[in-house]
Amino acid sequence: MWAVLVGALGARRGQAVVVTLVALLASAAVTAAPWYAVKATQQVGVAAVSSAPVEQRLVSVSWLAGWRGTDGVTSEAAMKQARKDFRPPGFTTIDGAFAQGGVRRVGSTGTAAVVKVAYRADVFDHLTVTGSRPSAAGEIVLPAAFASEVSLRVGDEVQLTGGKKPSRARLVGVYRVIDPSEPYWADGYLVGLGSDDRSKQATVFTVPATMSDWEQTTYSYDLLASPRAFATMDVEDLSANVNASLAALGQQGYSTTGSSLDGLLDRIAQDRRTVLAGVGVGVVVLLLFTWFALAVVVREAAVQVRGDVGWWRLHGAPSGRGWILVLGQSVAPLLAGAVIGTTLGFVVGRAVSGPIDGGGDRTALLLSLLLLGLTLAGGLVAVVSAQVGTLFTPARDLLRRIPVRRTRWRRSLVDLVLIALAVYGVVQALVVGRSVEGLPLLAPGLAALAIALVAAWAVPPVANWLLLHARHAGRPAMALIAALTARRPETHRLFALVAVAIALVTTAFVGWDTTSRSQWDRAALEVGADRVLTVDADDPAQLLAAVRSADPSGTNAMAVVDQPSRAGDPSVLAMDTSRLGVVTGWRKEYGGDVAQVAAALSPVAPRPVTLTTNRLVVDASGTDPAGAPVHLRIRLRTVKEGTSVDAVVGPLTDSRHRYTADVDACTGGCRLVGVQVLGGKDADAASGDSGEAEALGYVPPTAGSRVELYPSAGADRSSLPAALLSEPTRWRPGLGPRDLGPAIAAGRGSLRLTLPQIPEGVSLNRNDWAFVADTPVRLPALIAGWSPDPTDETRLVPLPGAAVPAQIVRSASLIPRHGSIGTIVDLSYAERLVPFSLSGGQPQVWLAADAPPSIVSDLRAHGVAPVREESMSDRLDELRAEGSAVGERFQAAVALVGLLLAAGAVLIDAARERPGRAVELAALRTQGVDAKVVRAVGYGGLGALVGTAALVGLAAGVAGAAIDRILYPGFVDGWSVLPTADARVVPVLAAAVAAVALLGTVVVASGSALVRQARP
């Protein structure tokens, strides 16, 4: 008996191989799927935490010394107890403290500069320190720019205020923050990124011992969610525990923040549910389609063994052995394919998923075995149901070449039930939308199945109609093809299988394409360019100069200062608008055509004044009503590096006199920024603002002081141009809303600057600067999502500092990186209008996709060091880890597996039909039928069925894609600044190409074999 079974398998080895391959493919797919699903579920937690803003990852506990009479020792003990009691899993902890204080040089009688004094665990790993790191009480470091502004150097003795009494300290180093936006800095308060004005004050970092007796010290305990830990974190349990602990700490007098963490945890939970829904739908579709394909394949194989069973019965073989012969020819290749496919599935699943955390591999293994069992059970049921009729059919009927026709009421009933389920699922999906659950999640596939079944019912009647039409028209090839299609016993099932397979591929490709383009649109909007480098730059002018030197072509890099929204002011992007082409995926929503936007934001303005000399010559005179000395400060910026150069001349006499100052940095050219009237020298003068007289060790002059500037004969290239001094309109005062600048007028062959007297009771600040007017009178701006007050002067803060007059020249609906609300201005004009910008903006360099790798080293060579990089590719990776994207990719893989299964079914059907059809075609050829007709029938018999099913499948797939778009959950965080990308024809064509490539190969191969066998 077993030898007969082996012989039967050998005789029909083609059929056995195809059944084995179908079983192998199905088993591999269902075995690998759980590994992908488990890994994806873990990745969404990691990706969500990695991409979340710091405020969502941060939980903060603080204690203010002095609360309820506590001193420093008691406060430190309270924080120690909080750290002991509150240590949730999955967080890194950072301890610290800060307080308000002041700093000034020892012996100085001037006002102490207001600062924040702080220590923070491991802070010096996040600072670039020039000098030494504080290691003992009384040692401090200051921001490098701030130390320069207040004229402090490493080694100076300073006085700190803020403790119970002033204390001495030594400046052992100056620092720059490596990356102010990194999560370590929590809310950014210590590095100027906080929401209140005190955040902008410089921070003095020291060791804890320095602040041991300080009053009003805030002790902090920050906890930051660690991405890796959230791969397997039970977020619902974590949320409950954290909220309970924070509530308890609050009742004990601690200040706590962490409400934004709930949003992050909810997002992770929701995204995991989305993954399970998307992958679950794919698994269900895979199982159902696998069972469908196995049923068709096994039924095709069953037809081929009918003769064997009939012959066996005629020879009186026992019925039990008949079961072995009948079932064995399908079960043996089915089990063989399952064994090989299971092994392959485990290997592929582990390779695709990589390492899985926290026992997830055990979960994946159990799910793989469960799905494999279900697949095999369905396959065995299909084998038995297909063959049981054969076993009970009389021998005379089994030996008939044409099976006895029977009513198909069972099949029709099943089809009607499936169509009813499809209608229910589609209606529910259309009514409920993306919040639907259960069966309606399968609506796209159910819709495709319903369309395929209805079309399958129509195939025989249409084929019969074509048969009659072709006979009357005298077209034998068409008539024979129609006749074969109408009488093919498995037309209904095969047609539906192929149509559903192609429909699933079409729906999956359209969904994947739509999701991918939506992700790309979001990433382009949020990142702004292919790569965005946050850099360490001293000021905007140096940033501009460095980028232009590193990229002289102007096509690869763009200087940007990104200023987030604060205190009700809209966010501002100050961009080098001559290089707007660097922006990735420029959209019409950004304000229109890129060239038009650039022209509107950077209109023609008076040319800058450039001096090329190493020795500046100034003819001037000056007087002070109180008889105090008067000096003049000339501020320049080097053209190549953008560094500031200050030249001070004086004291000025009351009559015209020539003064000189060394400006070696201007040998290659310097742009004239402006001039400032100064008073006399004062060793104790200090200021944190580089634009004030005290920053250079001078005092402000008396109101009414006057300076006159004269053309310098014989020094055209090293002095202020005569045309500039003869035209007061080429000069302007400071533009801050409370600035009261000097009166600028023409004297007798000179430019006269007269300092005003501020009336009592008027809240104005005297600004002793006169700047060169080399910008538009009002700063051109593009706005989105807000509008200025029409009853008030329009002002903007283009760079951290004063608000300057602005003119709205263009409106948009979106701003790169800032979404629906923001502002764009030209960085060059902004820097000239705010020449002494404060810290707070984020200097960036935006890089185009084709920027050479060497540009980063070129930027470093020009003094701009990258501290952080964002990229389109990284952001896309984060978005692709979201649940909706995971589900789309999995369903696309399932659809391709389904297409391969359908191809296997077509191959089996062709093999079953080939012997009988070859005899029939050979007979027709012998009777004189043209060889072309035989070839057309040989290829077209199967090709017409598959081609028609492919067209129906493409149409059903488009319908399924429309339903899938309704069910598309969107981004897990609810982001909807841009609509979901529109569907397009490209993925439909891709699905058609995939179907033609695979099924067309099967049809051609089968037709070729049939034509060869049909030769008389």
Side-chain angles (χ1 to χ4, degrees):
M1 183 62 218
W2 296 108
V4 174
L5 176 60
V6 172
L9 289 173
R12 297 189 179 90
R13 55 182 174 275
Q15 166 193 313
V17 168
V18 173
V19 173
T20 301
L21 291 176
V22 169
L24 184 153
L25 182 62
S27 301
V30 298
T31 305
W35 298 89
Y36 174 85
V38 171
K39 183 64 175 181
T41 304
Q42 295 186 354
Q43 283 182 324
V44 296
V46 177
V49 176
S50 299
S51 61
V54 174
E55 58 267 20
Q56 290 187 2
R57 297 174 56 184
L58 175 66
V59 177
S60 184
V61 179
S62 60
W63 182 276
L64 177 62
W67 169 254
R68 295 179 179 175
T70 57
D71 57 13
V73 175
T74 307
S75 298
E76 290 181 1
M79 290 305 298
K80 183 177 180 180
Q81 186 63 40
R83 291 192 291 271
K84 179 181 178 181
D85 295 341
F86 183 49
R87 298 190 68 85
F91 289 80
T92 57
T93 60
I94 307 168
D95 302 327
F98 60 89
Q100 291 298 119
V103 62
R104 62 185 174 189
R105 184 184 291 107
V106 170
S108 172
T109 59
T111 303
V114 179
V115 295
K116 302 184 294 289
V117 182
Y119 68 82
R120 192 167 175 82
D122 302 321
V123 68
F124 300 110
D125 294 337
H126 302 269
L127 304 174
T128 301
V129 178
T130 302
S132 302
R133 296 180 174 185
S135 58
E139 294 182 348
I140 65 170
V141 291
L142 286 172
F146 176 79
S148 175
E149 291 170 358
V150 297
S151 302
L152 288 175
R153 295 182 176 84
V154 174
D156 285 352
E157 295 291 327
V158 300
Q159 185 181 64
L160 287 179
T161 61
K164 293 181 179 178
K165 59 181 180 179
S167 59
R168 291 174 67 95
R170 189 165 67 90
L171 181 63
V172 298
V174 295
Y175 71 84
R176 293 179 184 274
V177 180
I178 295 176
D179 182 5
S181 61
E182 69 172 319
Y184 169 83
W185 295 110
D187 61 0
Y189 178 76
L190 297 179
V191 288
L193 298 182
S195 57
D196 60 16
D197 291 337
R198 289 186 299 177
S199 171
K200 300 178 183 179
Q201 298 166 357
T203 301
V204 176
F205 284 110
T206 184
V207 295
T210 303
M211 303 177 64
S212 60
D213 63 342
W214 281 46
E215 298 176 340
Q216 299 297 308
T217 299
T218 299
Y219 294 87
S220 62
Y221 173 45
D222 293 335
L223 299 92
L224 281 171
S226 178
R228 189 73 260 165
F230 280 76
T232 57
M233 182 72 68
D234 184 341
V235 293
E236 295 180 356
D237 183 63
L238 176 65
S239 177
N241 291 338
V242 168
N243 288 330
S245 297
L246 291 181
L249 290 170
Q251 292 175 356
Q252 298 172 35
Y254 296 90
S255 296
T256 63
T257 58
S259 58
S260 296
L261 178 67
D262 285 338
L264 174 60
L265 300 182
D266 289 344
R267 172 185 168 187
I268 294 173
Q270 178 185 344
D271 215 9
R272 286 175 177 171
R273 289 192 294 269
T274 303
V275 169
L276 293 177
V279 174
V281 167
V283 168
V284 171
V285 170
L286 179 60
L287 273 176
L288 294 176
F289 197 88
T290 299
W291 291 341
F292 190 9
L294 286 175
V296 173
V297 168
V298 169
R299 188 172 183 82
E300 294 284 358
V303 174
Q304 298 188 51
V305 303
R306 292 171 60 88
D308 295 346
V309 177
W311 179 87
W312 192 261
R313 284 191 179 172
L314 285 177
H315 289 75
S319 59
R321 294 184 181 183
W323 280 93
I324 295 175
L325 176 64
V326 172
L327 299 181
Q329 293 189 53
S330 297
V331 172
L334 180 68
L335 293 178
V339 171
I340 301 172
T342 300
T343 304
L344 180 62
F346 279 130
V347 172
V348 172
R350 291 302 301 266
V352 170
S353 65
I356 297 180
D357 299 322
D361 51 354
R362 183 172 179 272
T363 302
L365 178 60
L366 292 176
L367 289 173
S368 294
L369 295 177
L370 174 62
L371 293 178
L372 178 62
L374 290 173
T375 302
L376 289 177
L380 293 175
V381 169
V383 169
V384 173
S385 63
Q387 299 287 15
V388 69
T390 301
L391 293 169
F392 293 105
T393 301
R396 66 177 183 275
D397 292 336
L398 291 174
L399 295 174
R400 290 168 58 97
R401 290 184 58 193
I402 301 176
V404 177
R405 290 185 176 271
R406 293 184 174 89
T407 58
R408 302 290 185 177
W409 66 269
R410 293 185 183 88
R411 186 182 68 187
S412 300
L413 180 61
V414 171
D415 288 352
L416 288 173
V417 171
L418 291 175
I419 291 173
L421 288 175
V423 172
Y424 167 78
V426 171
V427 171
Q428 282 289 97
L430 295 176
V431 172
V432 180
R434 64 182 56 178
S435 59
V436 73
E437 296 180 355
L439 180 66
L441 288 173
L442 299 171
L446 291 173
L449 177 60
I451 294 173
L453 291 176
V454 172
W457 284 347
V459 169
V462 171
N464 286 324
W465 178 82
L466 287 175
L467 171 61
L468 295 175
H469 178 76
R471 286 173 57 189
H472 291 302
R475 303 177 66 177
M478 179 182 290
L480 288 171
I481 291 173
L484 292 175
T485 302
R487 62 186 283 198
R488 183 187 294 266
E490 295 302 320
T491 292
H492 182 273
R493 289 187 179 87
L494 191 65
F495 183 94
L497 182 68
V498 173
V500 171
I502 295 175
L504 292 177
V505 172
T506 304
T507 299
F509 279 17
V510 172
W512 191 359
D513 176 71
T514 300
T515 300
S516 298
R517 289 188 294 118
S518 298
Q519 292 167 351
W520 193 94
D521 289 344
R522 176 174 180 176
L525 175 61
E526 292 182 336
V527 179
D530 185 71
R531 287 187 292 161
V532 173
L533 307 178
T534 299
V535 297
D536 183 8
D538 288 334
D539 61 37
Q542 293 185 31
L543 175 65
L544 273 168
V547 173
R548 290 174 177 176
S549 297
D551 176 33
S553 67
T555 57
N556 295 318
M558 175 174 62
V560 177
V561 175
D562 188 349
Q563 184 173 292
S565 174
R566 288 184 182 176
D569 293 328
S571 58
V572 177
L573 273 181
M575 315 172 79
D576 186 354
T577 54
S578 63
R579 299 171 176 233
L580 282 183
V582 171
V583 175
T584 294
W586 182 273
R587 308 175 62 91
K588 63 181 181 184
E589 292 91 340
Y590 292 164
D593 179 73
V594 62
Q596 295 175 349
V597 171
L601 293 176
S602 55
V604 177
R607 292 179 61 84
V609 176
T610 304
L611 304 179
T612 305
T613 182
N614 63 350
R615 191 168 184 80
L616 181 64
V617 177
V618 178
D619 284 17
S621 63
T623 59
D624 186 293
V630 177
H631 294 76
L632 186 68
R633 174 188 186 182
I634 301 95
R635 165 59 70 100
L636 306 107
R637 280 196 180 273
T638 58
V639 173
K640 186 175 181 181
E641 295 87 9
T643 55
S644 58
V645 178
D646 282 319
V648 178
V649 297
L652 305 181
T653 64
D654 57 2
S655 60
R656 178 175 178 175
H657 187 75
R658 174 164 293 188
Y659 303 89
T660 61
D662 292 332
V663 285
D664 294 335
C666 292
T667 304
C670 280
R671 175 174 60 85
L672 177 61
V673 176
V675 298
Q676 180 188 22
V677 181
L678 306 175
K681 289 186 176 182
D682 184 354
D684 292 333
S687 171
D689 187 344
S690 60
E692 295 181 358
E694 293 87 345
L696 297 182
Y698 292 84
V699 297
T702 307
S705 296
R706 186 175 67 186
V707 169
E708 297 206 26
L709 300 174
Y710 304 90
S712 300
D716 292 341
R717 298 180 60 84
S718 58
S719 64
L720 307 186
L724 181 67
L725 298 177
S726 63
E727 184 53 65
T729 57
R730 285 299 314 274
W731 296 81
R732 64 167 180 81
L735 297 176
R738 298 186 181 279
D739 285 347
L740 182 60
I744 305 173
R748 295 182 178 179
S750 65
L751 181 74
R752 179 178 300 159
L753 307 177
T754 305
L755 303 187
Q757 175 69 51
I758 298 179
E760 293 185 7
V762 178
S763 57
L764 294 175
N765 301 318
R766 203 183 77 194
N767 186 321
D768 299 338
W769 279 93
F771 298 101
V772 176
D774 51 6
T775 67
V777 176
R778 294 186 293 169
L779 179 65
L782 178 150
I783 63 173
W786 69 278
S787 57
D789 185 352
T791 64
D792 197 3
E793 180 185 25
T794 301
R795 284 181 173 268
L796 287 174
V797 183
L799 297 171
V804 301
Q807 178 182 9
I808 309 303
V809 296
R810 214 165 184 90
S811 296
S813 56
L814 293 174
I815 299 292
R817 290 183 70 86
H818 292 277
S820 57
I821 301 177
T823 308
I824 298 178
V825 298
D826 181 75
L827 180 57
S828 296
Y829 286 162
E831 181 276 324
R832 295 177 195 176
L833 290 170
V834 188
F836 302 104
S837 60
L838 305 176
S839 61
Q842 296 180 7
Q844 299 172 342
V845 179
W846 292 18
L847 300 178
D850 55 353
S854 61
I855 198 166
V856 176
S857 57
D858 292 341
L859 289 170
R860 291 183 185 275
H862 289 89
V864 173
V867 297
R868 183 167 60 95
E869 178 177 327
E870 301 170 73
S871 68
M872 282 280 294
S873 60
D874 289 344
R875 185 61 181 130
L876 283 172
D877 287 343
E878 293 171 353
L879 295 174
R880 288 166 183 158
E882 289 192 354
S884 57
V886 170
E888 291 286 359
R889 291 197 299 273
F890 183 76
Q891 290 171 24
V894 167
L896 290 174
V897 170
L899 187 61
L900 289 171
L901 293 174
V906 172
L907 202 57
I908 283 284
D909 181 78
R912 178 186 62 79
E913 288 277 306
R914 189 178 303 125
R917 295 289 175 260
V919 172
E920 294 171 352
L921 293 178
L924 290 174
R925 187 74 181 90
T926 302
Q927 296 171 18
V929 176
D930 190 9
K932 292 182 179 180
V933 173
V934 172
R935 281 196 300 271
V937 174
Y939 287 101
L942 183 62
L945 179 67
V946 172
T948 305
L951 293 176
V952 172
L954 290 173
V958 172
I963 299 172
D964 188 53
R965 185 180 180 88
I966 297 174
L967 299 178
Y968 174 63
F971 297 104
V972 68
D973 57 359
W975 189 88
S976 58
V977 177
L978 289 173
T980 303
D982 293 331
R984 56 180 183 170
V985 73
V986 172
V988 179
L989 294 177
V993 169
V996 169
L998 183 59
L999 296 176
T1001 301
V1002 171
V1003 168
V1004 171
S1006 300
S1008 177
L1010 177 58
V1011 170
R1012 285 197 305 270
Q1013 294 183 21
R1015 292 171 182 169

